[in-house]
């Protein structure tokens, strides 16, 4: 199979090419209403394209296409679907640089440190799930020797996926690749801040998949996301975003009695014991806080508890390292840190910094703002490391989704475990120590869906990912996630007498 799309690594030109469109039933189409909204480059404030402003009429069209396509898609042998999804992965690999540049343009995430990495994981998720197609197996049940009893895994039907802007490619891939392999068809509603790159992904995938299997809508949450969740022909919703919106989605889904997967926020703790390797722990705080992504991550290690023996050295080294990160044009290879996604997020993060200072915290602002006049209107914000801050100050308790972390000094292990678990969230946690017993003990007691010892890797295929408590419902990224969230189990009993 060869692609019909030409690579386009000029993100400004590509943004224009994709302007003002949904992708429904294999074709780029304008919104039924004809309306659009601005897509803004957060590094300059310039409008780079329009996005189609979807509403219930567009949802109807996309769901109808998905319903029609599913009839044939689900009848294909599982491995054939898997091969096509793996082929999507191969095709996405060819487009990695193009996608990385476009996502850097619309989200402000630095190309070298963030956007390229994300575009790579995107392709990998399709290859991974494509290979799992033959695992869509059922069981045989020893119920009665005269009755052959088996279970089979059937697709649910049409899956509605609602995605955020922070890692739109990867978070989308972890939803749609398993949904498609399992025999469902999909309608995605992109985040209003980042509609273009996921649309391009949809275009690339539609070069491989039959029309209608994978449809993409852009639009605002209440106008376009809400009717998708409420649509009578959508059989499953998978959502990543805020707790607040997650609850709205859950309530609507409850009315319709359809299953949901919710990937929500976090306030993840990082515990650095007195015997930890200081350099490794500081490196882990930088990657864990996603400073190069302006902290815009649900797993950000934003509560850092450091033993008194290491505290001052840790703060000094972390400050030095974050200071050395270069903030600038997201598309510049030399840039480590890009921008905040939107003016709203920018103001929200600044509000948390002010609230932390008001609560008596010491705010260390790091990493110089860019001086290039072309970036004067960009949403650049200095990362802030809070020390001497009260454990109940707003930046210490609430999800900020920005480059702000709080460092606390501790001496007592039991106290720090209690404090780490003292959060409504339970997404991720890390512990840094050379002592095996401490590591094992903490790993078992930390209330989180994703716990790491002496490292801070990002989520990737085959590692179960998702939260407990207010951080979500259901896990993603594994074989089990595909079976549990994108199929229904049916029992078949054949009486042989
Ligand atoms: P959001 O949860 O409102 O948006 C996420 C997605 O849900 C977007 O596609 C949006 O259009 C859609 N949406 C919004 N309202 C909806 C509704 N009523 N029905 C259906 N879909 C709807 O998050 P937002 O406004 O982008 O950011 C607010 C805060 O949420 C951030 O500051 C951050 O704390 C958190 N957040 C967490 C994310 C995560 O990965 N867990 C991702 C994005 C934001
Ligand atoms: Mg919102």
């Amino acid at each position: 199979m060869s692609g019909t799309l030409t690579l386009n690594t000029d993100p400004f030109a590509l943004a224009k090419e994709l302007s003002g469109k949904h992708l429904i039933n294999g074709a780029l189409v304008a919104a039924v209403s004809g309306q659009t909204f601005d897509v803004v480059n957060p590094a300059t404030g310039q409008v780079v394209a329009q996005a189609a402003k979807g509403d219930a009429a567009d949802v109807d069209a996309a769901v109808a296409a998905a319903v029609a396509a599913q009839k044939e898609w689900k009848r294909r042998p599982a491995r054939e679907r898997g091969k096509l999804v793996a082929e999507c992965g191969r095709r996405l690999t060819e487009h990695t640089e193009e996608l990385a540049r476009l996502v850097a343009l619309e989200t402000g995430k630095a190309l070298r440190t963030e956007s390229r990495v994300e575009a790579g994981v995107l392709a990998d998720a399709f290859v991974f799930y494509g290979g799992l197609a033959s695992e869509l197996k059922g069981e045989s049940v020893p119920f009665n020797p005269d009755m052959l009893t088996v279970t089979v895994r059937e697709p649910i039907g049409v899956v509605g996926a609602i995605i955020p802007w922070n890692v739109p490619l990867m978070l989308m891939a972890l939803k749609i690749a398993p949904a498609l392999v399992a025999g469902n068809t999909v309608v995605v509603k992109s985040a209003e801040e980042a509609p273009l790159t996921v649309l391009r992904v949809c275009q690339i995938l539609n070069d491989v998949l039959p029309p209608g299997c994978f449809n993409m809508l852009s639009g605002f949450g209440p106008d376009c996301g809400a009717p998708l969740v409420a649509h009578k022909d959508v059989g499953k919703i998978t959502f990543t975003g805020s707790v607040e919106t997650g609850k709205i989605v859950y309530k609507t889904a409850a009315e319709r009695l359809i299953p949901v997967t919710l990937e929500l926020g976090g306030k993840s703790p990082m515990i650095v014991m007195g015997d930890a390797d200081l350099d490794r722990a500081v490196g882990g705080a930088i990657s864990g806080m996603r400073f190069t992504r302006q902290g815009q991550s649900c797993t950000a290690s934003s509560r850092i508890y450091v033993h008194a023996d290491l505290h001052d050295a840790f703060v000094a080294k972390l400050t030095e390292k974050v200071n050395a990160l270069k903030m600038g044009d997201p598309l510049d290879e030399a840039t480590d840190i890009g921008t905040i996604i939107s003016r709203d997020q920018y103001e929200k993060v600044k509000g948390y910094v002010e609230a932390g200072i008001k609560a008596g915290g010491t705010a260390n602002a790091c990493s110089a703002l860019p001086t290039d006049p072309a970036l004067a209107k960009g949403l650049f914000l200095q990362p802030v490391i809070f020390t001497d801050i009260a454990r109940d100050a707003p930046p210490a308790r609430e999800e900020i989704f920005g480059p702000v972390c709080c460092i606390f000094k501790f001496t007592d292990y039991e106290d720090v475990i209690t404090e780490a678990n003292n959060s409504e969230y339970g997404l991720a946690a890390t512990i840094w120590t050379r002592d095996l017993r401490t590591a094992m003990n903490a790993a078992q007691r930390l209330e989180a869906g994703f716990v790491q010892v002496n490292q801070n890797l990002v989520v990737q295929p085959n590692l179960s990912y998702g939260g407990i408590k207010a951080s979500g419902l259901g896990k993603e990224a594994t074989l089990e996630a595909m079976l549990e969230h994108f199929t229904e189990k049916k029992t078949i009993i054949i009486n042989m007498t």
Side-chain angles (χ1 to χ4, degrees):
M1 273 175 278
S2 64
T4 60
L5 292 171
T6 318
L7 285 179
N8 186 348
T9 50
D10 173 356
F12 294 91
L14 187 54
K16 289 214 173 70
E17 199 180 302
L18 295 165
S19 202
K21 297 289 196 285
H22 299 308
L23 204 157
I24 300 176
N25 209 21
L28 286 171
V29 292
V32 173
S33 70
Q35 290 194 316
T36 60
F37 61 95
D38 291 346
V39 183
V40 177
N41 172 2
T44 61
Q46 277 167 346
V47 175
V48 291
Q50 295 293 305
K53 189 163 177 288
D55 62 23
D58 304 288
V59 170
D60 284 344
V63 174
V67 168
Q70 208 244 342
K71 291 191 176 74
E72 191 266 339
W73 182 242
K74 73 174 176 193
R75 292 199 45 78
R76 294 200 183 202
R79 282 206 64 208
E80 196 180 308
R81 291 196 303 262
K83 278 182 191 162
L84 286 175
V85 169
E87 170 64 13
C88 289
R90 198 188 64 72
R91 215 62 80 77
L92 290 168
T93 306
E94 290 174 0
H95 285 262
T96 302
E97 186 61 18
E98 170 197 273
L99 295 169
R101 296 179 77 80
L102 188 60
V103 85
L105 175 65
E106 68 177 337
T107 66
K109 293 198 300 181
L111 179 62
R112 177 175 49 79
T113 56
E114 291 289 337
S115 294
R116 244 183 228 132
V117 180
E118 185 189 359
V121 179
L122 162 83
D124 189 35
F126 282 83
V127 173
F128 170 75
Y129 273 112
L132 291 180
S134 33
E135 296 302 316
L136 287 157
K137 293 184 280 201
E139 303 139 330
S140 69
V141 184
F143 174 58
N144 182 316
D146 292 327
M147 298 176 199
L148 176 64
T149 306
V150 295
T151 63
V152 292
R153 293 278 184 181
E154 295 186 342
I156 294 173
V158 175
V159 170
I162 297 177
I163 57 171
W165 42 263
N166 60 325
V167 210
L169 309 182
M170 185 191 77
L171 295 173
M172 177 176 77
L174 294 178
K175 298 179 185 313
I176 61 176
L180 288 167
V181 171
N184 306 281
T185 52
V186 185
V187 177
V188 175
K189 205 294 281 172
S190 57
E192 39 275 57
E193 298 83 355
L196 299 177
T197 317
V198 290
L199 180 63
R200 181 63 168 174
V201 170
C202 187
Q203 207 184 16
I204 296 164
L205 267 51
N206 269 274
D207 226 14
V208 178
L209 302 171
C213 286
F214 178 34
N215 308 278
M216 173 71 60
L217 300 173
S218 49
F220 292 84
D223 305 342
C224 189
L228 179 62
V229 181
H231 198 286
K232 65 177 177 42
D233 293 331
V234 170
K236 152 94 195 185
I237 290 290
T238 168
F239 170 85
T240 299
S242 65
V243 174
E244 193 189 14
T245 305
K247 286 179 184 170
I248 297 172
V249 167
Y250 200 16
K251 278 184 196 147
T252 310
E255 281 299 322
R256 301 192 42 238
L257 289 172
I258 61 166
V260 290
T261 312
L262 301 175
E263 203 69 70
L264 307 176
K267 192 73 192 171
S268 298
M270 162 170 184
I271 301 174
V272 183
M273 301 299 293
D275 68 343
D277 178 323
L278 180 65
D279 288 339
R280 280 181 71 167
V282 168
I286 291 172
S287 61
M289 248 315 288
R290 312 277 190 273
F291 277 117
T292 54
R293 201 194 295 158
Q294 285 285 19
Q296 299 171 121
S297 164
C298 44
T299 43
S301 305
S302 51
R303 295 185 292 144
I304 308 182
Y305 301 90
V306 186
H307 191 275
D309 290 350
L310 279 188
H311 178 272
D312 294 355
F314 183 93
V315 172
K317 193 148 230 171
L318 181 63
T319 309
E320 180 197 320
K321 293 256 161 151
V322 181
N323 261 328
L325 296 174
K326 185 175 181 299
M327 205 185 303
D329 181 352
L331 286 163
D332 184 343
E333 294 286 345
T335 296
D336 297 305
I337 306 182
T339 71
I340 302 282
I341 184 82
S342 65
R343 177 63 59 185
D344 282 358
Q345 259 329 97
Y346 181 87
E347 296 301 338
K348 180 183 163 186
V349 179
K350 275 178 72 171
Y352 274 110
V353 174
E354 279 153 26
I357 293 169
K358 215 168 144 198
T362 306
N364 310 292
C366 308
S367 185
L369 293 170
T371 51
D372 181 350
L375 304 176
K377 292 198 176 128
L379 301 171
F380 296 94
L381 196 63
Q382 284 185 286
V384 171
I385 300 170
F386 270 113
T387 52
D388 304 311
I389 185 164
R391 286 177 173 188
D392 62 353
R397 297 244 67 92
E398 293 166 30
E399 179 173 56
I400 300 174
F401 231 72
V404 181
C405 68
C406 297
I407 304 187
F408 310 96
K409 194 187 284 184
F410 78 92
T411 47
D412 183 64
Y413 174 70
E414 288 299 320
D415 174 57
V416 81
I417 292 287
T418 304
E419 190 52 27
N421 288 338
N422 179 17
S423 169
E424 63 173 310
Y425 295 112
L427 194 50
T430 62
I431 169 100
W432 303 74
T433 177
R434 290 187 168 98
D435 184 76
L436 186 59
R437 274 177 305 181
T438 308
M440 301 280 284
N441 183 282
Q444 287 187 61
R445 290 170 64 191
L446 286 168
E447 294 169 3
F450 199 72
V451 178
Q452 298 181 66
V453 178
N454 293 333
Q455 67 170 20
N456 214 332
L457 297 179
V458 296
V459 61
Q460 41 203 294
N462 210 24
L463 298 179
S464 177
Y465 180 73
I468 60 171
K469 304 201 277 189
S471 290
L473 280 181
K475 307 285 184 281
E476 298 189 303
T478 61
L479 168 63
E480 291 71 29
M482 175 169 76
L483 299 176
E484 286 164 23
H485 300 313
F486 296 112
T487 72
E488 294 281 12
K489 194 188 244 189
K490 177 188 275 181
T491 298
I492 300 174
I493 310 175
I494 302 166
N495 190 318
M496 299 180 295
T497 58

